[in-house]
Amino acid sequence: QVQLVESGGGLVQAGGSLRLSCAASGRTFSSYTMGWFRQAPGQEREFVGTISRSGGNTYYADSVKGRFTVSRDDAKMTAYLEMNSLKPEDTAVYYCAASASAFYSWDPYQYNYWGQGTQVTVSS
């Protein structure tokens, strides 16, 4: 079992950058695939990116590809989402999630644990 806590959200101007952190508690963090999702008001939860257990494979939604980077530091039991060239449409609550079953996945149903979310607001 793992517990996740996101941090690093806030208000940023368009074109700016933010780095979100997902701190995990548990003794098996390295065994989990990590994913990032986001949800804007009135919208469905949207896949952002994922990183495999080994850290050697990443996958991103087309909407963020080339701008966002997912990484992990198993020694620190932390996953990261680096967001660059932010756009107003990136405004959402961002969630990290952990999957014990998937190597990497865009499917939220394959993620067993979720953080509480952190708000990211991008102004124009």
Side-chain angles (χ1 to χ4, degrees):
Q1 187 173 350
V2 62
Q3 293 180 311
L4 308 173
V5 179
E6 301 96 335
S7 63
L11 176 64
V12 64
Q13 292 183 339
S17 300
L18 283 174
R19 189 189 197 194
L20 305 184
S21 297
C22 176
S25 62
R27 304 179 71 177
T28 58
F29 177 77
S30 62
S31 298
Y32 290 87
T33 289
M34 300 300 298
W36 287 92
F37 296 79
R38 65 187 183 185
Q39 188 167 19
Q43 303 295 319
E44 296 182 345
R45 187 162 296 185
E46 177 188 22
F47 169 76
V48 175
T50 184
I51 184 167
S52 65
R53 297 179 182 88
S54 67
N57 296 91
T58 56
Y59 177 74
Y60 301 93
D62 288 342
S63 60
V64 306
K65 192 175 299 180
R67 299 189 297 121
F68 291 10
T69 302
V70 179
S71 61
R72 66 189 297 161
D73 187 334
D74 289 348
K76 296 181 179 179
M77 295 191 293
T78 303
Y80 304 95
L81 179 66
E82 299 180 23
M83 305 183 294
N84 300 308
S85 301
L86 283 162
K87 305 174 181 179
E89 52 262 43
D90 294 319
T91 295
V93 176
Y94 283 71
Y95 300 89
C96 68
S99 173
S101 58
F103 183 64
Y104 64 89
S105 179
W106 51 263
D107 184 0
Y109 289 100
Q110 295 190 18
Y111 289 85
N112 308 93
Y113 307 101
W114 293 81
Q116 84 289 351
T118 185
Q119 177 70 47
V120 172
T121 303
V122 184
S123 64
S124 59

